[in-house]
Each structure stands twice: as C-alpha cells, then as structure tokens.
Amino acid sequence: MTTVHPVRRPEAADSLPSAGDERSTAGRRADRARQIVGRTAPWLVRGVMGVAVLVFLLLAVGPHVFGYRTMTMLTDSMAPEIESGDVTVVTAIGVTDVTEGMVLAYHMPIGDGSLVTHRVISVEQAADGSVQIRTKGDANDEVDPWTATLEGDTAYQVRAVVPELGHLVTLLRTPVVNQVLIYGAPLLLATWLLLSIWRPRRSTDEDVEA
C-alpha cells in the first residue's frame, strides 16, 4: 500500500520563530516605556518652557511695551468676576473719564493705604475740581466705609483678568522655587536639546524561512 504525503509549496512553509521574539515581556515593556518617554518628554519640556516665557512676557515685558500694569488679587471681595489669586491687567485712564460701573484699582484713603480693587458705584466732583468715588466689592454686602479722592490726572481701570496666575507668581517667588529655577532651567534646556537629538531606535525582527 502506497501512502501519499501532501507537498507544500515553498512560500507556504511555516516560519521559525526569530531570535528577537524570545525577548521577555519585561523587555518589551521597557522598550515601549523608553519610546513613550522619548516622545512625550520633549513636549513636556517645551510646554514648561513655553509657559515660563509667556508669564515672563506678560509680567515683565508687556508693562514696558504696552503700558499696562498687573496686580494680584488677594481677597474674594470681587468674586466671582475676580477671585483671590487672579491677576488683573489695568490701564491708565483720565480721572474725568471715571464712571459708575467701572472696576478701579486705587489706594484706600484709610489705614495703611493698601491697594484695593472694587467697583465704582458713585462719582462726584468736589468744589476744588478733584474727583471723589464710592466703591463696593461685588461679593460684599456693604459699601466701602470711605470716600476716596482720586489723586493726580489718572486712574487705573481693570481691563482683563488672568485666572489663578497669581498663585503661580507667588510660588515662583519662594526661595526654594527660585533656587530650583536657577539650577533647573539650564538642566531642562540641556535635556530638551538631548531629547531633540536622541530618538529611540526601533528594532525589526527578520523572518527566518524554513
């Protein structure tokens, strides 16, 4: 009795497992982790540096170029429009242009004369030509217990609010963070440059035919 065995075509032959397939699961995970780090780290460094540059431009360069001032809100007296930790952007206007409804930043005429940012609820011109205002915080129940006289020819009106930026500014001013930035910024820059040059090399497995 003759037995006939089927003959497979060469292209249908089974491939033997390559040496590269013998890598452990841990090794494959390590390679994938390196690839993920290699892809995300540059963007993370770029993001941190981009935020730092924007904050610097807003707080240090902008006031000299565009003439505005920035102030950090310390209380919630103007919430929800302006909350504690927000940074306000104010610009100068003529004292005679002040009207009810404006939000002004001015020095209180009592106590230590600290800066306050409240809404104008009344404007009066005194006999000597000076402008006097009454103000109130949007979140306060009572009107401010003083009448403020706007000195000079200019007042400062709130034009924009940057939420939460004041918390970042306060953090950056702490001694520990200052030291980290002094020594960490060059390290971040060097890391960025190295990651821009280095790219994880992809390994390809070669099929071995029987």
Side-chain angles (χ1 to χ4, degrees):
M1 181 175 182
T2 302
T3 304
V4 179
H5 296 279
V7 179
R8 295 185 179 181
R9 290 177 299 173
E11 59 269 21
D14 294 334
S15 298
L16 297 177
S18 62
D21 291 336
E22 296 177 358
R23 293 179 302 173
S24 65
T25 303
R28 291 195 296 270
R29 289 179 179 175
D31 290 343
R32 182 172 292 270
R34 284 194 294 269
Q35 291 178 2
I36 294 174
V37 171
R39 293 172 182 173
T40 58
W43 290 105
L44 179 61
V45 174
R46 292 187 186 104
V48 172
M49 296 186 66
V51 171
V53 170
L54 288 176
V55 172
F56 175 76
L57 291 176
L58 175 65
L59 301 181
V61 178
H64 296 285
V65 177
F66 300 104
Y68 64 79
R69 296 185 181 183
T70 58
M71 303 176 184
T72 300
M73 194 70 177
L74 301 179
T75 69
D76 289 324
S77 61
M78 283 295 295
E81 181 176 341
I82 310 173
E83 298 183 346
S84 175
D86 294 349
V87 169
T88 59
V89 178
V90 301
T91 58
I93 62 172
V95 170
T96 55
D97 295 329
V98 174
T99 59
E100 295 181 11
M102 288 184 174
V103 178
L104 297 185
Y106 67 95
H107 291 280
M108 290 189 300
I110 61 173
D112 58 357
S114 58
L115 196 67
V116 63
T117 301
H118 280 177
R119 191 177 303 278
V120 177
I121 60 173
S122 68
V123 182
E124 295 182 2
Q125 187 168 2
D128 58 359
S130 62
V131 175
Q132 296 180 337
I133 59 173
R134 297 295 305 274
T135 58
K136 176 182 177 299
D138 289 353
N140 295 342
D141 296 329
E142 303 293 335
V143 176
D144 295 331
W146 61 73
T147 298
T149 300
L150 299 179
E151 300 178 355
D153 298 326
T154 59
Y156 290 92
Q157 181 184 5
V158 174
R159 297 290 189 176
V161 178
V162 184
E164 304 296 336
L165 183 60
H167 296 304
L168 177 60
V169 174
T170 302
L171 178 64
L172 294 176
R173 289 175 178 172
T174 59
V176 174
V177 176
N178 277 332
Q179 293 298 317
V180 170
L181 290 177
I182 291 173
Y183 296 104
L187 179 61
L188 279 176
L189 181 59
T191 304
W192 182 17
L193 294 175
L194 289 175
L195 290 174
S196 299
I197 298 172
W198 178 80
R199 291 290 185 273
R201 185 175 58 186
R202 295 181 179 178
S203 59
T204 57
D205 297 334
E206 297 181 354
D207 294 335
V208 179
E209 295 183 356

